Structures are given as structure tokens and as C-alpha cells.
Amino acid sequence: MSDQPETVASVAELYLGNILYALESCALTLDSEGKGTDAAFYRGIARKLAEAYGRSRPG
């Protein structure tokens, strides 16, 4: 166990796959309810998270 306190960034990175899955699940539900604009909003959040993660990786 680390003596370092957890940060929002470290927890979000650890669970990023789960977060992206949940955002897409939410977007799919909104799409099925005819709320395409709302679905696009959540997909936009997921896209920003995925892009930021990609930029943070070496190589």
C-alpha cells in the first residue's frame, strides 16, 4: 500500500475503462430515449478523457 494519498487523477486513470463504459452506456440509453444531443454530450466527455489518456502515454 502506498503512503501517497489518492488523487482524482490517479483514481480516474485506474478506472478509466469502467468510466468510459459507463459513459457510453449512458449515451446509448439517451439515444434510445430520443435524446441525441444529451448522448453526444456524454460521448464528448468520454472522447476528451480517452484523448487525454492517449496523450499521457509514452510512445
Side-chain angles (χ1 to χ4, degrees), residues 6-59:
E6 290 182 322
T7 64
V8 171
S10 68
V11 173
E13 185 173 355
L14 180 63
Y15 294 104
L16 183 61
N18 302 79
I19 294 166
L20 295 175
Y21 177 85
L23 287 167
E24 181 58 21
S25 179
C26 177
L28 287 170
T29 299
L30 289 167
D31 270 339
S32 73
E33 294 172 354
K35 299 177 181 175
T37 302
D38 294 333
F41 174 77
Y42 287 100
R43 286 189 175 115
I45 293 170
R47 189 175 311 107
K48 284 192 167 285
L49 287 169
E51 288 171 356
Y53 179 76
R55 285 191 302 273
S56 72
R57 301 321 277 149

